[in-house]
């Protein structure tokens, strides 16, 4: 597992300043009610006001479309032996 974390750390962008969205989740019973989008909109509003890009890593393939609707693009895929696939994602600021 530590090897997987090292692989992810190597993918983390270092060439420019950015926000790092670490964890976003909702309880299974609350999914589909717009709570994740509302929470993400609050964060992205602040990020856009700062004119900063945002980086995140998604461990759920079904979440890629969700983040895509909010302007994130997949920048790669990391396979962690014995663990999940991880998709690094990036979003440029919106004005």
């Amino acid at each position: 597992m530590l090897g997987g974390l090292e692989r992810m750390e190597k993918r983390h962008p270092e060439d420019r300043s950015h926000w790092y969205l670490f964890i976003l989740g909702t309880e299974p019973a609350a999914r589909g009610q717009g709570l994740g989008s509302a929470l993400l909109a609050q964060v992205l509003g602040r990020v856009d006001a700062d004119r900063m890009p945002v980086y995140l890593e998604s461990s759920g393939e079904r979440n890629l479309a969700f983040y895509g609707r909010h302007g994130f693009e997949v920048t790669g895929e990391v396979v962690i032996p014995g663990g999940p696939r991880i998709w690094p994602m990036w979003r440029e600021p919106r004005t």
Side-chain angles (χ1 to χ4, degrees):
M1 190 63 138
L2 288 178
L5 295 175
E6 289 174 0
R7 287 180 188 184
M8 288 309 307
E9 185 60 30
K10 288 179 182 177
R11 292 287 187 113
H12 196 113
E14 296 181 5
D15 59 335
R16 61 191 280 211
S17 296
H18 61 276
W19 280 50
Y20 177 46
L21 182 59
F22 183 62
I23 294 177
L24 174 67
T26 56
E27 290 288 330
R31 291 185 184 143
Q33 299 177 28
L35 299 174
S37 289
L39 178 60
L40 189 55
Q42 289 292 314
V43 172
L44 295 179
R46 183 166 174 199
V47 169
D48 289 341
D50 288 347
R51 296 182 180 206
M52 295 288 289
V54 185
Y55 173 79
L56 63 80
E57 297 133 353
S58 179
S59 60
E61 189 169 8
R62 71 170 192 244
N63 296 331
L64 301 181
F66 168 78
Y67 289 119
R69 288 191 299 274
H70 293 279
F72 287 87
E73 295 182 8
V74 174
T75 61
E77 182 177 323
V78 179
V79 178
I80 299 176
R85 288 187 297 168
I86 308 289
W87 292 270
M89 302 185 81
W90 185 263
R91 178 186 180 271
E92 290 293 333
R94 295 183 177 170
T95 55

